[in-house]
């Protein structure tokens, strides 16, 4: 047992020495490792410091670039704002000028109206053209110019003015109706050139052109009257009469009668619709209706002529109706007055009266015709004289 204890003690001493050796080795390793790790750490620190410096320089460079771009954008924005401010100020000034010009244009329109009503067509055209210079976008001025040009017989200029008005306001009923009237007049003028002396090909071409113009006229008038069934022209007459005149010239008598009945409903105080109804009753040989209607015309037209000494159409209707009902002296007495107030610049007025009297020659009894023929001769002489003056 003592021997066994001694052996165990010896083994314990050996183990202790072995453990001490391992501990010393580990201590050395730790010392050496610490030195190595310390050296490695210094290297990494130096490298990191270098990289950090480079990064700082890069960030500073990028920051300078961003700041430079920002300052450039700010400067550009300030310039754009300044430019925008100037443009807005200029636009405001232009708006003020346009408003001022538009107000001035509207202020002189009544002058043009008065000039037209006094048969000063040239003065009215000058006034309206001045108004148009001030306010070129105003469809009303174009429409009024078109109307005066129409009455003066300058259908080309009238057509251009009405088209400009419609371009600015497509559903402007007065301009649509006015253009419809111009198209009718243009078609009628072409119809007058169709004679037996032209070739068959020329005749066909002219007939086609006339019909196209008359169809356009009908479309425009119907469109305008659909928009405004009680539409009247600048002389206060219903545009249903213009449509009725178109139907009358086409030989569509029933439609013409209905159109002129509309005229008498819209403007019952005017002789215009009644006198055309009387003429249509003539054409359908409804003698009694025609004479009865001429009686109405004579009464209304007398009042119109007395109320407005410058009302040519009132005098025109009074003259034709007076002949129809047998008041020849009254008709011949009013004829010089009608001629005197018919503007020289408007041959259409005297031509219209002459054509009405020519229709009466085909309607009345033979014993009533001589004074009417005399009136027709007087009118044709005056029409020829005015044409020579204008030439």
């Amino acid at each position: 047992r003592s021997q066994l204890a001694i052996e165990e003690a010896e083994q314990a001493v050996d183990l202790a020495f072995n453990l001490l050796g391992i501990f010393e080795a580990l201590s050395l390793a730790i010392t050496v490792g610490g030195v190595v790790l310390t050296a490695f750490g210094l290297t990494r620190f130096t490298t990191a410091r270098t990289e950090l410096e480079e990064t700082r320089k890069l960030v500073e460079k990028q920051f300078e670039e961003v700041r430079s771009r920002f300052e450039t954008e700010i400067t550009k924005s300030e310039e754009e704002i300044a430019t925008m401010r100037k443009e807005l100020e200029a636009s405001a000034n232009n708006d003020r000028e346009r408003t001022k010009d538009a107000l001035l244009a509207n202020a002189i329109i009544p002058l043009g109206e008065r000039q037209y009503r006094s048969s000063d067509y040239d003065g009215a055209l000058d006034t309206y053209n001045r108004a148009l210079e001030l306010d070129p976008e105003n469809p009303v001025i174009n429409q009024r110019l078109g109307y005066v040009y129409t009455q003066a017989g300058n259908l080309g200029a009238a057509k251009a003015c009405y088209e400009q008005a419609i371009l600015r306001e497509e559903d402007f009923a007065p301009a649509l109706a006015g253009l419809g009237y111009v198209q009718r007049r243009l078609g009628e003028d072409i119809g007058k050139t169709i004679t037996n002396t032209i070739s068959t090909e020329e005749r066909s071409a002219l007939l086609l052109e006339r019909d196209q113009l008359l169809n356009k006229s009908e479309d425009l008038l119907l469109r305008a009257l659909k928009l405004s069934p009680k539409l009247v022209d600048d002389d206060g007459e219903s545009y249903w009469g213009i449509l009725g005149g178109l139907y009358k010239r086409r030989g569509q008598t029933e439609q013409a009668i209905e159109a002129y009945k509309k005229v008498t409903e819209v403007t019952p105080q005017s002789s215009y619709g009644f006198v055309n109804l009387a003429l249509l009753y003539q054409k359908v040989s409804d003698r009694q209706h025609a004479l009865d209607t001429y009686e109405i015309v004579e009464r209304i037209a007398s009042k119109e002529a007395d109320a407005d000494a410058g009302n040519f159409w009132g005098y025109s209707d009074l003259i034709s109706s007076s002949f129809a009902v047998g008041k020849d002296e009254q008709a011949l007495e009013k004829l010089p007055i009608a001629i005197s107030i018919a503007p020289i610049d408007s041959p259409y007025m005297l031509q219209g009266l002459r054509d009405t009297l020519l229709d009466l020659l085909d309607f009345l009894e033979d014993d009533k015709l001589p004074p009417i023929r005399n009136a027709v001769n007087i009118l044709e002489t005056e029409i020829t004289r005015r044409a020579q003056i204008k030439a």
Side-chain angles (χ1 to χ4, degrees):
R1 181 179 297 175
S2 299
Q3 184 62 36
L4 179 60
I6 292 170
E7 288 178 358
E8 289 178 354
E10 289 176 351
Q11 290 177 356
V13 171
D14 290 338
L15 178 60
F17 276 111
N18 288 336
L19 289 173
L20 180 61
I22 292 171
F23 178 77
E24 290 176 351
L26 285 172
S27 295
L28 180 62
I30 288 170
T31 301
V32 174
V35 173
V36 172
L37 287 173
T38 300
F40 180 74
L42 289 173
T43 302
R44 290 291 297 164
F45 176 77
T46 303
T47 302
R49 182 175 182 180
T50 302
E51 290 176 353
L52 182 61
E53 184 66 20
E54 291 175 352
T55 301
R56 184 184 64 79
K57 290 180 180 179
L58 179 62
V59 169
E60 288 178 350
K61 180 180 178 182
Q62 290 176 345
F63 176 77
E64 286 298 322
E65 291 175 352
V66 170
R67 185 174 65 179
S68 176
R69 286 198 301 270
F70 179 74
E71 290 175 351
T72 301
E73 291 296 326
I74 288 293
T75 302
K76 183 179 178 181
S77 297
E78 289 174 346
E79 292 173 353
E80 289 176 351
I81 290 171
T83 301
M84 187 181 299
R85 183 183 296 111
K86 290 179 181 178
E87 290 175 351
L88 289 172
E89 290 173 353
S91 177
N93 289 333
N94 288 336
D95 288 342
R96 283 193 291 270
E97 287 298 317
R98 283 198 297 269
T99 300
K100 183 179 72 175
D101 288 346
L103 290 172
L104 180 57
N106 285 327
I108 65 177
I109 286 176
L111 172 61
E113 294 173 353
R114 290 194 296 272
Q115 290 170 315
Y116 169 74
R117 294 188 185 284
S118 64
S119 300
D120 181 9
Y121 288 5
D122 287 339
L125 290 173
D126 287 342
T127 298
Y128 286 142
N129 274 309
R130 170 58 180 151
L132 192 64
E133 290 176 2
L134 292 167
D135 191 8
E137 301 298 318
N138 192 323
V140 174
I141 300 173
N142 272 294
Q143 178 267 324
R144 293 186 181 278
L145 263 174
Y147 191 83
V148 180
Y149 277 128
T150 301
Q151 300 306 314
N154 190 343
L155 300 181
K159 180 174 180 289
C161 289
Y162 282 132
E163 287 174 341
Q164 284 299 312
I166 295 168
L167 185 64
R168 286 163 174 74
E169 189 172 340
E170 62 179 0
D171 288 333
F172 189 30
L176 291 169
L179 182 58
Y181 181 40
V182 168
Q183 298 283 27
R184 195 195 93 180
R185 291 273 299 276
L186 290 171
E188 291 168 355
D189 287 347
I190 289 176
K192 293 174 184 177
T193 66
I194 301 173
T195 64
N196 294 328
T197 61
I198 61 177
S199 67
T200 302
E201 291 78 10
E202 289 176 313
R203 181 182 178 83
S204 296
L206 288 172
L207 284 171
L208 178 61
E209 186 176 359
R210 181 201 65 184
D211 291 344
Q212 287 175 331
L213 287 168
L214 294 180
N215 288 340
K216 288 179 182 177
S217 172
E218 181 181 17
D219 289 343
L220 287 164
L221 288 165
L222 288 173
R223 182 178 164 191
L225 289 166
K226 183 177 180 180
L227 288 167
S228 181
K230 294 185 178 181
L231 181 67
V232 297
D233 62 23
D234 287 9
D235 286 307
E237 300 293 355
S238 170
Y239 270 108
W240 283 104
I242 304 300
L243 183 61
L246 172 61
Y247 289 143
K248 183 170 65 175
R249 285 159 179 76
R250 279 177 166 177
Q252 298 168 268
T253 306
E254 290 185 7
Q255 288 172 281
I257 288 174
E258 291 304 315
Y260 282 115
K261 285 181 178 178
K262 289 279 191 182
V263 175
T264 64
E265 294 171 7
V266 175
T267 55
Q269 78 288 350
S270 171
S271 59
Y272 171 58
F274 292 102
V275 75
N276 280 282
L277 275 176
L279 290 168
L280 288 166
Y281 289 140
Q282 288 178 208
K283 290 185 178 296
V284 296
S285 301
D286 191 345
R287 188 177 188 80
Q288 193 57 51
H289 261 113
L291 292 173
D292 290 344
T293 306
Y294 273 123
E295 293 281 356
I296 298 173
V297 173
E298 195 270 335
R299 290 197 300 271
I300 296 175
S302 294
K303 295 177 181 179
E304 289 178 325
D306 290 341
D308 184 0
N311 184 350
F312 170 82
W313 296 112
Y315 277 99
S316 174
D317 292 345
L318 178 58
I319 291 165
S320 59
S321 61
S322 295
F323 278 130
V325 299
K327 297 183 179 182
D328 300 337
E329 290 184 5
Q330 177 175 270
L332 291 171
E333 178 188 340
K334 302 301 182 183
L335 183 59
I337 301 175
I339 291 173
S340 69
I341 62 178
I344 292 179
D345 294 333
S346 181
Y348 174 72
M349 289 184 172
L350 294 182
Q351 291 170 3
L353 175 55
R354 177 201 61 191
D355 293 345
T356 298
L357 296 181
L358 288 172
D359 286 337
L360 280 176
L361 291 175
D362 296 329
F363 171 69
L364 298 174
E365 297 88 347
D366 289 342
D367 61 325
K368 293 183 178 180
L369 302 185
I372 300 176
R373 290 196 181 101
N374 182 30
V376 169
N377 290 334
I378 293 171
L379 286 167
E380 288 183 341
T381 300
E382 179 63 19
I383 291 169
T384 301
R385 185 186 73 83
R386 294 187 177 198
Q388 291 172 345
I389 292 174
K390 291 194 73 173

